[in-house]
Amino acid sequence: MAAFDEKEYTKDFDWAIWKRLLPILGRFKPVFLGLWAFNGLTALLDVVIPLFQRFAISNFIETGALEGFVPFVLAYLGIIILQSLLVIGFGRMSMYLEMYVGRDMRRELFEHLQKLSLSFYNVTPVGYLLTRVMNDTNRIAGMMAWALGDIMWALLYVLGAFAAMAMLNWQLALVVILIVPVVAALTGWFQPRILHWNRKVRKLNSKITGAFNEGITGAKTSKTLVIEDQSIKSFRELTNSMRGSGVRASRLNAVYIPVTLFFSTMAVAIVLLRGGYLVADQVLDIATLSAFITYAMGIFEPVQSIAGNLAEFIALQASIERVTDLLNETPQITDTPEVIEKYGDSFDPKRENWEPLRGEIEFKDVTFRYPDGGDNVLEHFNLHIPAGATVAIVGETGAGKSTLVNLACRFFEPTEGQILIDGRDYRERSQLWLHSNIGYVLQSPHLFSGSVRDNIRYGRLDATDEEIEAAAKAVSADKVVAKLEQGWDSNVGEEGDRLSTGEKQLISFARAVLADPRIFVLDEATSSIDTQTEQYIQSAIDHLLRDRTSFLIAHRLSTIRKADMILVVRDGKIVEQGTHQSLLRARGYYHDLYSKQFAEENAAKVLGK
């Protein structure tokens, strides 16, 4: 498969990209409407407050009278209390939106990731996915919840203040209004540049998350190979690149916002100068000038808010592109609408329509190459595997032994030809139907954080404790449990790191047995375990695989001598097939592999003595 290369994002601000969020944001339409209503009322009250100031100067300060002062104070106090309640309501709704919009995006991403094909995970780093599911969704949710409301308030306040100023003195209002096209022009110039560098930052952040993940999960390997210096050097290079891109973006922001503020301040200065002359000429009274200056200075903060939040929204597009592009990833293996209608899908299976699976598998004129291109791995390949047969696949490391199994399990599909399960093309039934009938034991088994009992139960979620213990006993995994302090409730640690490789294999084997599949796949399941553990598994294999179609991807050839069929893989091609005895008699590639390994094992025994 091809190495992963993250997509470059080069579009300027594009409303079509933002519209892709509407299905998620639309679920919270009442909350958004309430949020904007609260912000609108808050902005209206902010516009009204300077008029109270004008009234107080005209009726109390200039006249020196206190008639009507108490009702004025009560009205003003009522405005302040209402304003405070509106701000509290705005904060509560914003927090609600931040939490629930982020939650829904993460849920949707995680659910979508479950639908993607195995090939996607073969080429996509964990850091790339973690950054999108956690960092980008948090950023989007926070901006939608807080910044959008701030922009709404600031815009309404600016419009209301302009309207009030125009009523007070339209000539002075015109001076302040002139800053709007200037700010618009500045935004148009800075927008693509800020977006470019923020895209760089987000891309590098994915790489840093991936490197951080590898640095932690591979810490033991790094220490044993003594490559800490190289790891630190690589990490520093990534962080330095991110710092450089972040500095460029910050510099643009640092220029963009102060420049807009400069023009706002200039407008206030002109108002003070011109207004002073008007008061001196007795064209304008002090009370009106005072309110006017309050409006002009009050616009300073919302203009700053609009400029800053617009810059943030410009940068946010990169996060939206990354999240929505992940949601737009399509599985390479999909069921047809007709199959989904009859059999259901992974999240809504119609198990009542599922036929029993016997396990007969036939490769019919199959040609296959990996989705990223390259040479054909199989060409016009034919193979019939009777139900209940055991097929061993052998070959040197990297020869392509897993390809045949991945095709049979429908993790990949043939480029040409058909694969039949029980006489029917397996594309005529759902993926879940097939995968629910497969037990897969990997060379490096993955255990989930939790107890031993819970890890085995993943084989069949409705299994009872008695069934779990019986499955474990069948493969001698109960001997692992007996050594643990808390028995079945012992925590296996992250990825099972509290257990040895052999112990993890036995737990994984018990999990597959509990699922009671019709097809078993053992992917070099005995290659990384000690001799005693291998004996535990070997003693159970004959019983467990009886009447089940089985694939044994084998490293130790001594473990597959009883297989009904052996396929020999070399350089991605099946070069020989037959039984153990027939392949030895043919004295071909299998004979050479077996003889070489037999000699190595005998030498190891001699040295061991």
Side-chain angles (χ1 to χ4, degrees), residues 325-397:
D325 280 353
L326 182 55
L327 287 172
N328 289 338
E329 281 283 347
T330 56
Q332 291 188 345
I333 310 299
T334 57
D335 292 328
T336 64
E338 293 78 15
V339 169
I340 294 175
E341 176 67 25
K342 181 176 181 180
Y343 296 99
D345 57 23
S346 298
F347 300 98
D348 186 23
K350 299 179 180 178
R351 297 180 184 272
E352 65 275 8
N353 295 333
W354 289 8
E355 299 91 347
L357 191 149
R358 294 184 292 107
E360 179 188 7
I361 303 173
E362 182 178 0
F363 289 73
K364 196 171 182 180
D365 197 30
V366 169
T367 296
F368 174 72
R369 60 178 171 273
Y370 283 104
D372 60 338
D375 297 332
N376 291 337
V377 178
L378 296 175
E379 288 185 352
H380 305 292
F381 176 72
N382 293 279
L383 177 68
H384 180 258
I385 303 172
T390 298
V391 179
I393 306 173
V394 302
E396 294 180 343
T397 301

Side-chain angles (χ1 to χ4, degrees), residues 212-486:
F212 196 71
N213 177 69
E214 288 183 354
I216 294 173
T217 57
K220 186 181 293 185
T221 302
S222 297
K223 289 184 179 297
T224 54
L225 295 176
V226 197
I227 58 171
E228 292 95 336
D229 287 348
Q230 180 61 40
S231 298
I232 292 171
K233 181 182 177 181
S234 300
F235 195 78
R236 282 178 176 171
E237 289 175 355
L238 283 174
T239 53
N240 283 337
S241 296
M242 182 174 174
R243 178 195 60 80
S245 298
V247 166
R248 295 293 294 270
S250 297
R251 283 175 179 170
L252 287 168
N253 271 317
V255 174
Y256 172 46
I257 295 174
V259 168
T260 58
L261 298 181
F262 169 77
F263 284 99
S264 301
T265 306
M266 286 297 297
V268 174
I270 294 171
V271 167
L272 282 170
L273 179 63
R274 180 58 181 163
Y277 281 116
L278 292 174
V279 171
D281 294 338
Q282 296 184 349
V283 176
L284 194 69
D285 60 78
I286 289 290
T288 301
L289 179 61
S290 174
F292 205 101
I293 292 173
T294 302
Y295 281 127
M297 294 183 66
I299 288 176
F300 183 88
E301 182 180 346
V303 167
Q304 180 184 10
S305 176
I306 291 172
N309 281 313
L310 282 177
E312 289 294 321
F313 266 99
I314 290 167
L316 185 67
Q317 180 169 305
S319 292
I320 295 173
E321 288 171 321
R322 290 148 59 90
V323 168
T324 54
D325 280 353
L326 182 55
L327 287 172
N328 289 338
E329 281 283 347
T330 56
Q332 291 188 345
I333 310 299
T334 57
D335 292 328
T336 64
E338 293 78 15
V339 169
I340 294 175
E341 176 67 25
K342 181 176 181 180
Y343 296 99
D345 57 23
S346 298
F347 300 98
D348 186 23
K350 299 179 180 178
R351 297 180 184 272
E352 65 275 8
N353 295 333
W354 289 8
E355 299 91 347
L357 191 149
R358 294 184 292 107
E360 179 188 7
I361 303 173
E362 182 178 0
F363 289 73
K364 196 171 182 180
D365 197 30
V366 169
T367 296
F368 174 72
R369 60 178 171 273
Y370 283 104
D372 60 338
D375 297 332
N376 291 337
V377 178
L378 296 175
E379 288 185 352
H380 305 292
F381 176 72
N382 293 279
L383 177 68
H384 180 258
I385 303 172
T390 298
V391 179
I393 306 173
V394 302
E396 294 180 343
T397 301
K401 299 188 292 294
S402 297
T403 299
L404 195 71
V405 172
N406 286 335
L407 282 168
C409 294
R410 206 183 168 193
F411 296 141
F412 293 99
E413 289 181 344
T415 307
E416 298 175 17
Q418 292 178 304
I419 295 178
L420 310 181
I421 302 290
D422 295 344
R424 287 178 58 187
D425 190 322
Y426 65 4
R427 286 170 286 204
E428 295 177 8
R429 295 185 175 110
S430 71
Q431 295 178 70
L432 188 62
W433 169 81
L434 176 59
H435 295 163
S436 296
N437 282 286
I438 295 174
Y440 212 122
V441 179
L442 298 169
Q443 180 180 359
S444 300
H446 178 87
L447 298 186
F448 299 93
S449 297
S451 68
V452 174
R453 190 191 310 276
D454 289 340
N455 268 278
I456 297 176
R457 182 175 272 120
Y458 277 114
R460 183 159 53 85
L461 296 177
D462 61 351
T464 65
D465 289 349
E466 291 75 18
E467 290 172 322
I468 290 171
E469 293 172 15
K473 187 175 182 180
V475 294
S476 301
D478 58 327
K479 293 179 172 59
V480 175
V481 177
K483 294 187 295 182
L484 300 175
E485 185 175 342
Q486 297 180 9

Side-chain angles (χ1 to χ4, degrees), residues 497-509:
D497 59 5
R498 295 183 182 177
L499 303 178
S500 69
T501 300
E503 289 170 337
K504 287 193 288 186
Q505 284 284 18
L506 288 171
I507 299 301
S508 179
F509 210 99

